Amino acid sequence: MILEALKSGNWIFLQNCHLAVSWMLAMEELIKTFTEPDTVIQENFRLFLSSMPTKVFPVTVLQNSVKVTNEPPKGLRANVRRAFTEITNNFFEEHILGRQWRKIIFGVCFFHAIIQERKKFGPLGWNIRYEFNDSDRECALLNQNLYCQTGHIPWDALIYITGEITYGGRVTDAWDQRCLRTILKRFFSPVTLDPGYTFSTSGIYFAPEADRLSDYNRYIENLPLIDDPEIFGMHENANLAFQRLETMTLINTILEVQPRSTARGGGKSNDEIVHELADSILAKIPECLDMDEADEALFIRDANGRLNSLTTVLGQEVDRFNNLLRVLRVSLCTLQKAIAGLVVMSEEMERIYTSFLNNQVPNHWANSAYPSLKPLASWVKDLALRTSFIESWIMRGQPKSFWISGLFFPQGFLTGALQNHARTYNLPIDELNFRFNVLPVYRDQGAVSEALKTLSAGGELDMDSELPTINDGVLVHGMFMDASRWDDVNMVMEDALPRVMNAMLPVVHFEPQQNYDPDPSLYQAPLYKTSARAGTLSTTGHSTNFVVTVTLPSSLPSDYWITKASALLCQLDE
């Protein structure tokens, strides 16, 4: 077709190139022939190509093309306005349901704008950035029309189709699906048709009591230019998270493209900076963690000759940390030799060198390490605290409270705690899950680490006096609250304080219970390893970044926290 059109001057439009991966190379070769001297091209010939963002599209074709992109407009007002430019008067005004129909249409368009705009908040909006597009909205509106032709609104069917199929079909993360269903309730449910119903507490956003498309367009034009987080059901801190995300993206881009020049005058050269940094890291991390020096109490067996499950977990953690420490030591020593000119500066060493100058964790280390978003300086300090925690566990026996953030694989630790309980009471482990009791005690791992140094130096200090003695389960500390905080007076979840992004959660008692069914009034908060929340989706439907669901008491309904994307984190980003 293309070869014929070259001669005849026709226009060719190849749609959805991202679906024809195997043909992309052939297409690239064909388009290259356009520039050859012996190729005759009729002047009216045009070739149009459409594609979703993809890595398989030929770069040379992209570079030599005139590019047009179609992206959703930014801001709720612009998004809803775009939806209403595609709605005809007949479709909007001439319906058997009358004003109810117009409110339904407006609710769906507003819902579409909300889920599009939530993406700007990063992980607070969605764990995974979904590409909702105009065809989803069109499909939802056509379904409404199809099911409402008799004048009756089958809400159950429409909510299921819209939330689980039209939009929910794109959503792969279980927590995002919960969030989508909750948001849909605010904009598309029987209550939205009540007189005086508003989409937010401020009363600015609502479906107008009007019968003309022009009246709705006029209302849309008067909507605020800047969207307040409250329309998304979010806290004012969400805007800070959004602005910080934008800033970090800009700074990282600048760091990646800036040239590296050698120091002139009295300043240190890059080689000296990197060499000194390597020395300081080597001084902060231990050689290795040795299980041979472990406290004897860790290896006491039960009546059936079985080893404590948490000792097995400790052994696995030690192996993982030793592997990481070995990777660090080998690469740092090699880097220092490469700077001195004793060995060749390999490509891998070059990448570590650049990462050091940018205060970033080298990929070579990250591949052998636990998930973390910290910059290099904080990452090294965090690693020193983690190894100190594991070393203390080895030398002093099981701690009274476990630092869940200090573990490579916290899921294994929680399974070990359940297994111990199952063995003690001779229960089937698959019938056990945790009940979570929050205690009015705080523990900071940095302070605990300093206390351990005091003890090892011969000092006296009773760190655990404030912790209660428990018979079953484990005490856990080191969790942070995202988009909420803990109220120590009423012992419930509360709204975060302004500009306090991640408040600490007190020590939590993870108490195993048989066939435990948590109270529906408790908020089910997902615990993540990092604030990115997204990870690789496993066969369970959960992200590999997900650890466990922690149920917390709250004076507010769960939907309130779901729209805020309230969760728990094992570690912060700095």
Side-chain angles (χ1 to χ4, degrees):
M1 283 171 66
I2 293 171
L3 292 173
E4 285 175 13
L6 282 170
K7 298 169 189 170
S8 64
N10 283 338
W11 289 11
I12 303 292
F13 186 13
L14 305 180
Q15 296 185 80
N16 297 326
C17 291
H18 59 284
L19 301 179
V21 177
S22 58
W23 192 68
M24 285 296 98
L25 188 62
M27 184 185 80
E28 184 179 17
E29 294 301 320
L30 180 59
I31 291 171
K32 278 181 184 174
T33 63
F34 292 178
T35 56
E36 291 175 5
D38 54 344
T39 305
V40 180
I41 302 177
Q42 214 277 347
E43 63 175 12
N44 291 325
F45 167 73
R46 299 286 184 277
L47 175 61
F48 296 90
L49 307 169
S50 78
S51 172
M52 289 283 280
T54 175
K55 291 179 181 177
V56 299
F57 195 88
V59 177
T60 54
V61 175
L62 205 58
Q63 288 170 337
N64 294 311
S65 307
V66 175
K67 290 164 282 291
V68 179
T69 63
N70 183 20
E71 294 182 348
K74 285 196 172 184
L76 287 178
R77 186 174 81 168
N79 215 309
V80 179
R81 182 202 286 148
R82 170 159 162 171
F84 268 73
T85 55
E86 296 173 14
I87 293 173
T88 62
N89 280 6
N90 289 350
F91 181 79
F92 189 71
E93 294 173 4
E94 296 172 15
H95 196 278
I96 191 169
L97 283 171
R99 192 168 283 186
Q100 284 188 329
W101 170 251
R102 289 181 274 284
K103 283 191 172 185
I104 289 172
I105 296 292
F106 188 79
V108 170
C109 293
F110 213 92
F111 164 74
H112 180 85
I114 288 284
I115 62 173
Q116 286 272 35
E117 283 300 300
R118 273 183 79 97
K119 285 192 285 189
K120 75 178 186 181
F121 296 111
L124 281 179
W126 301 108
N127 288 359
I128 299 166
R129 286 175 68 91
Y130 303 103
E131 291 300 325
F132 299 110
N133 55 42
D134 290 353
S135 63
D136 297 326
R137 186 190 63 242
E138 289 162 19
C139 185
L141 293 178
L142 289 172
N143 278 331
Q144 322 303 322
N145 194 29
L146 182 69
Y147 280 81
C148 294
Q149 285 179 346
T150 60
H152 167 66
I153 309 170
W155 279 113
D156 289 347
L158 287 177
I159 288 169
Y160 183 83
I161 290 168
T162 309
E164 305 291 334
I165 301 171
T166 309
Y167 286 97
R170 289 190 184 276
V171 179
T172 50
D173 186 279
W175 299 104
D176 284 341
Q177 285 171 343
R178 178 181 77 159
C179 184
L180 184 87
R181 287 193 294 269
T182 307
I183 296 168
L184 185 63
K185 263 192 273 183
R186 284 175 57 210
F187 300 95
F188 186 66
S189 62
V191 71
T192 60
L193 302 182
D194 293 348
Y197 178 83
T198 58
F199 296 138
S200 66
T201 49
S202 67
I204 297 169
Y205 301 93
F206 57 89
E209 298 283 346
D211 297 323
R212 297 281 165 211
L213 183 60
S214 56
D215 295 335
Y216 272 82
N217 283 328
R218 200 173 302 115
Y219 166 76
I220 292 163
E221 291 303 322
N222 291 322
L223 286 175
L225 261 176
I226 297 168
D227 309 318
D228 195 284
E230 60 109 23
I231 181 58
F232 301 99
M234 290 181 150
H235 192 269
E236 60 188 87
N237 285 353
N239 256 350
L240 291 178
F242 158 61
Q243 287 158 2
R244 190 161 66 177
L245 197 69
E246 295 267 279
T247 308
M248 289 310 297
T249 306
L250 176 66
I251 290 170
N252 288 335
T253 307
I254 293 168
L255 280 174
E256 284 171 11
V257 299
Q258 74 168 347
R260 290 288 171 197
S261 56
T262 53
R264 291 196 178 91
K268 291 179 182 176
S269 69
N270 286 344
D271 284 0
E272 288 172 327
I273 293 167
V274 173
H275 200 285
E276 284 179 16
L277 190 54
D279 274 336
S280 72
I281 293 172
L282 284 168
K284 285 173 186 168
I285 59 173
E287 282 281 344
C288 68
L289 300 168
D290 191 0
M291 280 293 281
D292 293 339
E293 297 178 10
D295 185 66
E296 289 180 9
L298 291 172
F299 299 99
I300 295 172
R301 295 177 180 268
D302 65 8
N304 295 316
R306 294 174 299 200
L307 194 65
N308 187 314
S309 294
L310 293 183
T311 302
T312 307
V313 170
L314 175 62
Q316 293 167 348
E317 289 292 321
V318 166
D319 289 343
R320 293 188 184 104
F321 273 107
N322 282 340
N323 177 54
L324 174 59
L325 293 170
R326 188 166 53 251
V327 168
L328 259 66
R329 286 203 168 273
V330 169
S331 60
L332 286 170
C333 293
T334 309
L335 180 64
Q336 289 184 322
K337 287 177 183 175
I339 291 170
L342 300 174
V343 296
V344 176
M345 178 71 84
S346 65
E347 193 178 339
E348 191 175 89
M349 289 299 115
E350 187 74 50
R351 283 198 289 268
I352 294 175
Y353 185 98
T354 308
S355 298
F356 275 23
L357 292 173
N358 290 340
N359 192 25
Q360 294 169 341
V361 180
N363 285 336
H364 179 58
W365 294 4
N367 292 338
S368 302
Y370 40 83
S372 180
L373 301 175
K374 292 179 182 288
L376 181 63
S378 302
W379 188 87
V380 172
K381 184 182 176 184
D382 181 56
L383 175 62
L385 283 173
R386 286 172 186 248
T387 50
S388 161
F389 165 66
I390 298 294
E391 210 162 24
S392 148
W393 188 350
I394 293 170
M395 306 298 289
R396 296 163 53 82
Q398 279 191 24
K400 202 161 183 186
S401 176
F402 292 87
W403 184 35
I404 195 166
S405 318
L407 303 169
F408 248 88
F409 191 57
Q411 295 97 319
F413 161 74
L414 297 176
T415 304
L418 289 176
Q419 194 170 45
N420 273 349
H421 188 83
R423 287 173 176 178
T424 305
Y425 295 98
N426 201 23
L427 299 169
I429 192 169
D430 57 348
E431 289 182 8
L432 293 179
N433 51 2
F434 287 113
R435 181 169 73 192
F436 303 92
N437 311 309
V438 183
L439 309 176
V441 181
Y442 286 88
R443 291 201 110 189
D444 177 67
Q445 192 53 34
V448 172
S449 185
E450 288 301 317
L452 288 170
K453 285 177 188 172
T454 306
L455 283 166
S456 60
E460 290 189 13
L461 188 68
D462 187 4
M463 292 184 302
D464 296 333
S465 58
E466 57 190 359
L467 292 173
T469 302
I470 56 163
N471 297 319
D472 300 327
V474 287
L475 295 178
V476 167
H477 67 276
M479 293 182 284
F480 298 89
M481 303 184 78
D482 202 9
S484 60
R485 69 178 172 90
W486 187 254
D487 181 351
D488 293 320
V489 177
N490 301 310
M491 295 301 283
V492 291
M493 287 175 72
E494 270 300 339
D495 263 334
L497 296 170
R499 295 183 297 283
V500 179
M501 303 301 288
N502 300 107
M504 186 179 278
L505 185 70
V507 174
V508 180
H509 178 200
F510 284 49
E511 184 184 7
Q513 297 277 311
Q514 188 175 15
N515 296 322
Y516 172 62
D517 193 16
D519 190 306
S521 66
L522 295 172
Y523 173 62
Q524 297 192 346
L527 172 65
Y528 295 103
K529 294 176 187 173
T530 69
S531 66
R533 302 194 184 191
T536 310
L537 281 178
S538 59
T539 49
T540 59
H542 286 300
S543 151
T544 48
N545 206 343
F546 170 77
V547 180
V548 69
T549 304
V550 179
T551 51
L552 296 172
S554 166
S555 56
L556 296 161
S558 288
D559 286 1
Y560 180 82
W561 300 113
I562 292 169
T563 52
K564 275 183 166 48
S566 297
L568 301 177
L569 306 176
C570 284
Q571 57 171 303
L572 304 181
D573 296 355
E574 66 271 316

